[in-house]
Amino acid sequence: MSQLQARFFTENKKYAIDDVPFSIPAASEVADLSNVINKLLEARIADHKHVEFDFLVRGQFLRSSLASHMDTENISTEEVVEIEYVQKFTAPQPEECIMHDDWISSVEADSEWILTGSYDKTARIWSLEGKAVMTMAGHTDVVKDVAWVKRDGLSSLLLTASLDQTVLLWEWNSEQNKVKARHCCRGHAGSVDTIVVDPSRTKLCFISLAELKCLKTVFSLSVPTEEEDEVEEPNRPRKKQKTEQLGLTRTPLMTLSGHNEAVSAVLWTDAEELCSASWDHTIRLWDVETGEQKSMLTGSKVFNCISYSPLCRRLASGSTDRHVRLWDPRSKDGSLVLLSLTSHTGWVTAVRWSPSNQHQLVSGSFDNIVKLWDIRSCKAPLYDLAAHEDRVLCADWTDSGLILSGGADNKLYTYRYSAYVSDAGA
Amino acid sequence: VERKRSDEDLSGFSRICSPQRGKLDKTAGTSSDIRNTVGNIPMEWYKDYPHIGYDLDGKKIFKPIRTKDELDEFLDKMENPDYWRTVHNKMTGTDLRLSDEQVDLVHRLQQGKFGDVNFNEYEPAIDFFSSEVMIHPVTNRPEDKRSFIPSLIEKEKVGKLVHAIKMGWIKPRRPKETAPKYYDLWAQEDLNTVLGRHKMHIPAPKMRLPGHEESYNPPPEYLLTEEEKLAWEQQDPEDRRVSFLPQKYSCLRAVPAFSRFIHERFERCLDLYLCPRQRKMRVNVNPEDLIPKLPKPKDLQPFPTTQSLVYRGHTSLVRSISVSPSGQWLVSGSDDCTVRFWEVSTARCLKTVEVSGAVKSVAWSPNPAVCLVAISYGETIVLLNPGLGDKFICSATDQLISSYEEPEESKEQSVQWTIAEGSDHEHGQRLILKHPKAVRQVTWHGKGDYLACVMPDDNSSLQVVIHQVSKRRTQNPFRKSKGMVQCVSFHPIRPYFFVATQRYVRVYNLIKQELTKKLMANCKWISSMAVHPGGDNVICGSYDCRLAWFDLDLSTKPYKMLRHHKKALRGVAYHKHYPLFASGSDDGSVIVCHGMVYNDLLQNPLIVPVKVLKGHTITHDLGVLDVAFHPSQPWVFSSGADGTVRLFT
């Protein structure tokens, strides 16, 4: 059984070869197969340059010799094996290391600017080159989360959530480099830990780890215009406290109750659906229109973070038992774990799907390491980004292929991840 | 001439050795052959005759002239070298000189050998009749004819026997009887019962050996006096000490036959028959089989298994920790005179409050509607509002404290209540309670209004005081000292109060003001105590490495003693919801046990050690100083002498 019949194919037209079965040694590894493909391409294309490839057998990355891989995956060696090849993912290239004064609690970046929240009670805007552009100091306590809302030309709207139980809506003019607090959103009886803006950029949802009983997801309408429809106070009338210099106070539209314990993460899966993960070992999906719970996924450990990929429609969750788990949010009231990615040795505190590749995600953990995963290779991560000297608290992945991670060592690292993903993304 | 001589020699010889061969010699004889024909007669008969016989022709054979006398004989003997081989032939009267061959023949015969030199008497024997079957017969003789013909004699004999059997004269031999002739009483008995009876055999009790009293000539002290004899006779036979009267005889010959012999044998048989004999049944059981099987720790999930977070910041031993009712904050008090507030999920130190002494004990108020932490250092207890969590609750707490109105008649109290002002107030301190003695422990009642504190002192009655925060009142519940108080605790539901002294835990009913129970810990020195959230179970850690679990409904003695730690225990804790309890020890480890308490009163609590958690480094011979559980998750916090607090999940 030293030879196998294999047929190679790829979705990248640039590297397509003839659809002919080849007989290849069973003991060949990734490098051998890569050489074979390169030889074939050289014969086809005159000016071909050597390219490293990775190989997928039935949707799983080849990480050992072909024979042992097929043995563990129970694939028959009698038939012609279909092997897909993709250009090898290059390692993320470290770009910047941005120093903060204190722990970095959250990071969100877009194509131009990086927004970070820090434990020194401020939120900062940085250019992609690592230059501090703006500091927003208004909170009286630790900033727990930040979010971009909208950008209209030079003026941007952004949100910061803090331990002081408020969420501030800021307007930032990048030309004049001026920032102004527009609104102060209240409604939580504890620190606001997570804040998310819905895809239509008109609603936001924020949650607090502290609120125990009623799970609490309040979400407040954030209309970016001046005149706002008077928000009616829904559930709990609250004494409005005027914080004059911070602008108008906003109150919740709706409270979603159901979780038994602290809610650790929340996100919009689409315009009408909200997903929340909690310390009570459940992930719940809510219908925002009616405010009702649609379905529930039950885990066995506390959830720290979740992320949703609209490309593959999977939820990724990070929990205190070191695993990153993938869920199908459409399954009804089941606890169906599709996949467990196990390599971390501490709490997983941040997960983020790639915005452009349906197979890749990044996870950060209390073991100081950020890992880049491809779910087609679930045994081991693609790359370990071990730059942090302390716990990783947050991570982000921008559309432009920038991976960011911040941690308790006061440093924000950015990595450039190969742009080729755009053609492998399909 | 030569031939003649040789013939003569031969014939002479042959006559010596075998006279009957004379006939043969005659054939070989010659004319010169002189042969005496007288036969085998005594030759003395011819002594007086001149001849000695007759030859073949009947002529007289004359005697040779014998002139030899004794002297000639002697001279001949001396001088003739052939004398020894010269023999006298009586038949002819001549002397013969033997040749060398003849001498040799004589010697051989004398030695008992064969006369013929060439005869080998030791020729190898040929074994014709061996066990080996040969292809050729030894003899070639054909078989006899009779061997093919039936023997008539045998036929006759057989015919006679057959006839005799037919006629019944001869009877065939009877088969031997194998059946035993006796009756086997136990033939039907099962072998097992026999073995069993052998096993169960109990020997009859031995009879007492005869002593001096039974002697025919007992020492005089054994003899009964007249009064004793009378008394003996009047006694009931059953009451008599001895069943006979010792008597003295001058010699053994004078002893008469024992008159009660039959009686005595009968009584002995009666004894044996009536004696209730039975064997005590003893069951051999492996003691380990009697221990109930404990479930595997794997099946008792969830419980903390790994160290997740380390809360670093303190520079000295962390004596005490407490978790807020929401589970979001953690407070720790240390010997470096600071109290730190931590965010549980990130290990962030949010607040540090400095006080003027080593912090001995911290306790977060269990009432979720107020935000208060009690801190004890030196002789002071401070009630502190950390300002964490809901701002409304924090401000409500402040309001609650500031809204207190002094009652008109203020009693003299042993404890001074003062309101913190200035910078202390800014740091969150609200109320300061000055005690007369150093405070070692503070603990809250479940409702969060009452606060008990311990001031250990061996012989003072003021060791435990209970404060009421809302009324700012202090009372001393005990009038008498019962030993040095180690720690106290409120019952989570009922108005009971647990006071642990060195060896005992006393349970007081606060309403009836009486002692309800006194638990004996069976250990040298209790260090810590925790009450199960159900209220019916208590665990006590002690400095002699033991953890005692009391079931209050069961007994005042420990239901279980756990000796898993190698060094003194410093802290014990129960989880509020999960069936877990933990103990921290000087050996640097925290042991988490599954402690399931059942509602069914008949079922004893199930205690299974599930995990040893290590992480703290041992500093100054101290390891873990306090343990606390997260209020909602199966997580345990431990504080150690190395200045860290660790979270295990």
Side-chain angles (χ1 to χ4, degrees), chain A residues 278-282 299-304 319-321 325, chain B residues 301-303 305 633-635 649:
Chain A
S278 161
W279 282 19
D280 65 2
H281 309 177
T282 60
S300 62
K301 285 283 186 322
V302 165
F303 288 111
N304 280 326
S319 57
T320 57
D321 60 352
R325 291 191 175 87
Chain B
Q301 297 268 27
F303 54 82
T305 52
Q633 301 293 338
W635 299 348
T649 62

Side-chain angles (χ1 to χ4, degrees), chain A residues 102-103 119 144 163-165 189 191 209-210 212 238 261 279 281 302 320 347 366 391, chain B residues 308-309 326 328-329 343 345-348 350 389-392 630 632-633 635 647 649:
Chain A
D102 211 333
W103 296 5
Y119 274 77
K144 281 303 195 74
L163 189 68
D164 63 9
Q165 305 173 18
S191 87
L209 207 55
L212 281 177
R238 269 272 156 75
E261 288 204 34
W279 282 19
H281 309 177
V302 165
T320 57
W347 288 12
F366 276 0
R391 301 183 293 277
Chain B
S308 293
L309 283 173
S326 67
Q328 204 183 3
W329 320 108
E343 190 179 39
S345 57
T346 56
R348 170 82 183 184
L350 293 167
D390 195 342
K391 290 279 184 295
F392 292 105
H630 191 277
S632 57
Q633 301 293 338
W635 299 348
L647 167 63
T649 62

Side-chain angles (χ1 to χ4, degrees), chain B residues 331-350:
Chain B
V331 61
S332 63
S334 161
D335 269 12
D336 60 6
C337 306
T338 59
V339 175
R340 282 175 185 263
F341 293 88
W342 310 86
E343 190 179 39
V344 166
S345 57
T346 56
R348 170 82 183 184
C349 178
L350 293 167

Side-chain angles (χ1 to χ4, degrees), chain B residues 563-582:
Chain B
R563 294 180 187 81
H564 299 302
H565 282 294
K566 297 201 175 54
K567 285 190 178 171
L569 272 80
R570 293 275 172 178
V572 290
Y574 271 111
H575 198 285
K576 262 192 181 165
H577 305 299
Y578 288 99
L580 291 173
F581 64 94

